[in-house]
Amino acid sequence: MINVTNIFIKYGDRVLLDHVNFVIGTKDKIGLVGRNGAGKSTLMKLISGYMNPHSGNINYPGEVSIGYLHQEMELPKGKTVMEETLSAFNKVKELENRIEQINVELGERTDYESAAYTNLLNELSDLNDRILHMGGNNIEADCERVLKGLGFKQTDFTRLTDEFSGGWQMRIELSKMLLQKPDYLLLDEPTNHLDIESIIWLEGFLKDYSKAVVVISHDKQFLDNVTNRTVEVELGKIYDYKASYTKFVQLRQERRELQGSAYENQQRVIAHKEKIINKFMAKATKTKMAQSMKKQLDKMERIEIDTEDVATMNLRFPPAPRSGQVVLDAQNIVKKYGHLDVLSGVDLKIDRGDRVSFVGQNGQGKTTLAKILINELPATDGDITLGHNVSIGYYAQNQSDTLQSDLTLLQTMENFSPPEMRTSLRKILGAFMFSGEDAEKKVSVLSGGERARLAMACLLLRPFNLLVLDEPTNHLDMLTKDVLKHALSQYDGTLIVVSHDRDFLADLTNRTIEFRDQKLYEHIGDVNAFLEKKAMDDMRQVEMRTVAKKEVEHPQHNGSSNGIRQVDHKERKRIQRNAKNAEKKVERLEEDIQQMDLEMSNPDFYGKPDADEKIKKYQALQKDLETALENWELATEELEAIGEG
């Protein structure tokens, strides 16, 4: 266990962590939650050893390995994706080198009965066991599995890491960390740069992870699916619940209600006793009793109501000017980057009042099409027609990063503001939780969440009837995301939103556009209706057609560290029998078809009265063979999965 004891952190006049305590068990799955700036990332840096507390201690149980994925990271340049991912196994390489040295030494020695020779044999055995435990016998296959799970294609493996954006580099770092299997896995906002498919793959990996996981996330569904304990950081204090996020919210509300009731009851008791004390003090015969009662009252342990950070931005989108019935019409849109096809002849029509979500894997063209639609990016080919009186509001994926760091908040707002809004800028900043002197702060000192709020405030300075939002929830905490979602539900214009946050998208849109293989696929309803329509529990099945293939793709779920599925004798015999029978059926059908081929090659065949019936039989045999070949392939894969075949 890791013991966090009496940790205190203070910056200037602000106490960030006020003598907090909690324990991380060896198999805990903890969600670390709280408002932006509450101290979650600071606490994780303390646990990982990246920084030291101003006071207090963090005690570790002997030698433990800690993997820490943080938001600011930079990969070394000049390596391919696979080379960098394989660096996760540098320790394995060191062990393999030592094994090679021992084997050379054993080959040269003749003192077979000596203690030194025995020690070498014991060391060799120990090293082999350690490599097996670390997955060293199957490292390239493991790297490939994890990289594909996080969205990389086979062709990406040989590309240099330099070619990838920061979000994709974060995935490479995450891949390395998952492959190293540390005792304590600390993840700070791991879903920020992942698409829905990769998020759900990561959920499955972390649920099956046998060691401790601590994750900071503002994705409610991700937390619910991964964690079973929630630690809230609020106003310097820690609140620890043995529950996943949704259950934690309920328990926290119940605790505060009970605390409020207990406080009110105690206040009534105190008021009643004080009334009696004052009354008795006025009588000489009861003064002693009154003094005794006052001492009891002074010793009473007073109930305090926990302070709660409920500050939220006051977000309301301006009324949308009325547009034409057709807001935009995109026809035969093509987008290429050199030889790379991103969009290939796609069509999209948006009517007034439509609420559309763009979903799909990263790199499939969601942001690209959004930028093309609003004329931020030229299409390689195709036509886009904007409807009558359409005015666009656009929030880019990196909108907060485009703000000038050397300007104050007020200066930033002035740069985006029309003249008639200048007198209202401080009031608008106040509505976005920037009050008083905050207006004179430099943008450079703002946190990621604060920058996102400022960028959103700038967006509201002009009216629009087509709102295009690209990943608007990045860097926003739970409460702020809820406020944004509520404001969007009240917005009376046309909405296009690109997001990987399932909880945020739920009930927000009425059309879901899936981006896949340079094409668009439309589904009526919100993201949950889309997932249900695809008939899958998770998005991983988009790329996997059978349960058997899924077993091969994800061998870690089969309870074996080397990718071989462990089965009992009876199950092994069943799998062997199925594979043998499937092969025999293919051979039998091929023989039948070959005989009919010979018969049908005779010109006289087609003049016989039963020719039509035999042709139908021949066609049926071909279909049966196609099915039999598929079954044989699956049976063979199942055989390989148990280490045979």
Side-chain angles (χ1 to χ4, degrees), residues 14 34 56-57 86 97 127 177 188 268 276 393 401 425 444 544 554 560-561 581 596:
R14 185 190 175 200
N57 296 291
L86 283 169
N97 290 338
L127 290 172
M177 202 160 296
D188 192 349
R268 282 195 291 270
I276 294 174
D401 296 334
L425 296 184
S444 58
M544 302 174 192
H554 300 278
S560 174
S561 61
N581 290 341
M596 292 197 72

Side-chain angles (χ1 to χ4, degrees), residues 279-327:
K279 184 177 178 182
F280 283 6
M281 281 293 193
K283 297 181 180 181
T285 56
K286 295 189 176 180
T287 299
K288 189 174 181 180
M289 185 183 296
Q291 289 174 338
S292 175
M293 189 177 292
K294 188 174 186 310
K295 287 180 181 179
Q296 291 176 1
L297 191 61
D298 291 340
K299 290 179 181 179
M300 180 185 289
E301 188 173 340
R302 304 298 173 101
I303 295 171
E304 294 182 359
I305 296 179
D306 294 330
T307 51
E308 183 179 3
D309 186 357
V310 294
T312 60
M313 60 182 184
N314 182 16
L315 175 57
R316 181 175 297 178
F317 292 98
R322 187 172 178 81
S323 69
Q325 178 59 34
V326 177
V327 173

Side-chain angles (χ1 to χ4, degrees), residues 416-432:
F416 284 90
S417 175
E420 65 272 15
M421 294 292 291
R422 294 289 173 89
T423 57
S424 303
L425 296 184
R426 286 184 179 272
K427 183 178 178 181
I428 294 171
L429 282 170
F432 279 77

Side-chain angles (χ1 to χ4, degrees), residues 11 44 58 127 225 303 356 377 441 459 481 487 518 609 627:
Y11 296 112
M44 193 167 274
I58 299 177
L127 290 172
N225 290 337
I303 295 171
V356 182
L377 188 69
K441 281 183 179 178
L459 180 65
K481 281 202 302 185
Q518 298 94 46
T627 302

Side-chain angles (χ1 to χ4, degrees), residues 439-617:
E440 304 304 328
K441 281 183 179 178
K442 296 280 189 181
V443 171
S444 58
V445 304
L446 300 182
S447 68
E450 288 171 331
R451 281 175 175 253
R453 291 206 311 270
L454 178 60
M456 195 70 68
C458 293
L459 180 65
L460 301 188
L461 293 172
R462 298 176 186 271
F464 42 79
N465 47 32
L466 172 59
L467 179 56
V468 182
L469 303 176
D470 190 358
E471 300 290 6
T473 62
N474 278 358
H475 306 297
L476 296 183
D477 58 42
M478 304 283 197
L479 201 52
T480 306
K481 281 202 302 185
D482 288 343
V483 171
L484 174 58
K485 183 173 180 177
H486 178 74
L488 288 172
S489 69
Q490 302 298 313
Y491 173 60
D492 60 351
T494 304
L495 174 67
I496 298 175
V497 58
V498 182
S499 179
H500 60 254
D501 191 320
R502 292 157 291 172
D503 181 73
F504 181 75
L505 288 176
D507 299 320
L508 184 62
T509 60
N510 53 27
R511 292 172 64 188
T512 301
I513 307 294
E514 179 192 10
F515 286 62
R516 177 162 40 91
D517 301 327
Q518 298 94 46
K519 298 291 185 183
L520 307 187
Y521 300 87
E522 178 159 354
H523 306 267
I524 303 301
D526 70 352
V527 68
N528 289 332
F530 160 65
L531 292 173
E532 290 170 9
K533 187 175 179 181
K534 297 288 284 186
M536 54 189 172
D537 293 328
D538 60 61
M539 291 286 288
R540 281 171 291 184
Q541 289 174 310
V542 171
E543 303 297 334
M544 302 174 192
R545 297 181 180 179
T546 67
V547 173
K549 285 188 178 182
K550 180 179 174 184
E551 290 291 343
V552 176
E553 290 282 340
H554 300 278
Q556 79 277 13
H557 297 303
N558 296 328
S560 174
S561 61
N562 61 4
I564 296 176
R565 181 177 161 202
Q566 301 300 312
V567 295
D568 58 26
H569 178 73
K570 185 177 180 181
E571 177 68 0
R572 183 176 294 275
K573 287 294 184 184
R574 183 194 68 78
I575 293 171
Q576 292 170 339
R577 187 168 58 252
N578 283 353
K580 190 173 183 180
N581 290 341
E583 184 178 4
K584 283 183 177 179
K585 186 169 184 178
V586 169
E587 291 173 351
R588 187 170 65 252
L589 287 168
E590 285 178 338
E591 288 175 2
D592 292 344
I593 289 172
Q594 188 176 12
Q595 288 178 0
M596 292 197 72
D597 280 335
L598 288 172
E599 186 178 356
M600 292 169 68
S601 66
N602 188 337
D604 296 336
F605 169 82
Y606 298 95
K608 295 180 180 179
D610 61 347
D612 288 343
E613 184 179 338
K614 286 192 174 182
I615 289 171
K616 289 180 181 177
K617 182 181 178 181

Side-chain angles (χ1 to χ4, degrees), residues 16 23 31 112 126 130 163 173 179 205 209 387 408 411 421-422 445 481 483 530 540 548 580 592 605 641 643:
L16 191 64
V23 173
Y112 308 121
D126 179 59
R130 288 172 65 186
E163 300 174 28
E173 188 68 17
L179 289 162
F205 188 100
Y209 194 67
T408 67
Q411 288 170 334
M421 294 292 291
R422 294 289 173 89
V445 304
K481 281 202 302 185
V483 171
F530 160 65
R540 281 171 291 184
K580 190 173 183 180
D592 292 344
F605 169 82

Side-chain angles (χ1 to χ4, degrees), residues 218-258:
H218 297 302
D219 185 326
K220 296 178 185 177
Q221 199 163 343
F222 179 77
L223 287 172
D224 277 342
N225 290 337
V226 170
T227 65
N228 52 25
R229 180 178 164 199
T230 302
V231 174
E232 181 185 29
V233 185
E234 185 175 36
L235 299 174
K237 297 186 180 299
I238 288 286
Y239 301 96
D240 196 345
Y241 293 80
K242 302 292 190 291
S244 61
Y245 182 80
T246 298
K247 184 65 175 176
F248 145 74
V249 172
Q250 177 188 338
L251 293 173
R252 179 182 59 179
Q253 182 62 29
E254 290 174 359
R255 176 180 64 81
R256 285 178 171 156
E257 288 175 358
L258 288 171

Side-chain angles (χ1 to χ4, degrees), residues 98 101-123:
R98 176 57 185 152
Q101 292 173 2
I102 292 175
N103 283 327
V104 170
E105 189 173 346
L106 289 173
E108 295 173 348
R109 297 180 67 146
T110 57
D111 55 333
Y112 308 121
E113 304 298 327
S114 69
Y117 193 89
T118 301
N119 289 339
L120 279 177
L121 290 175
N122 290 337
E123 185 183 355

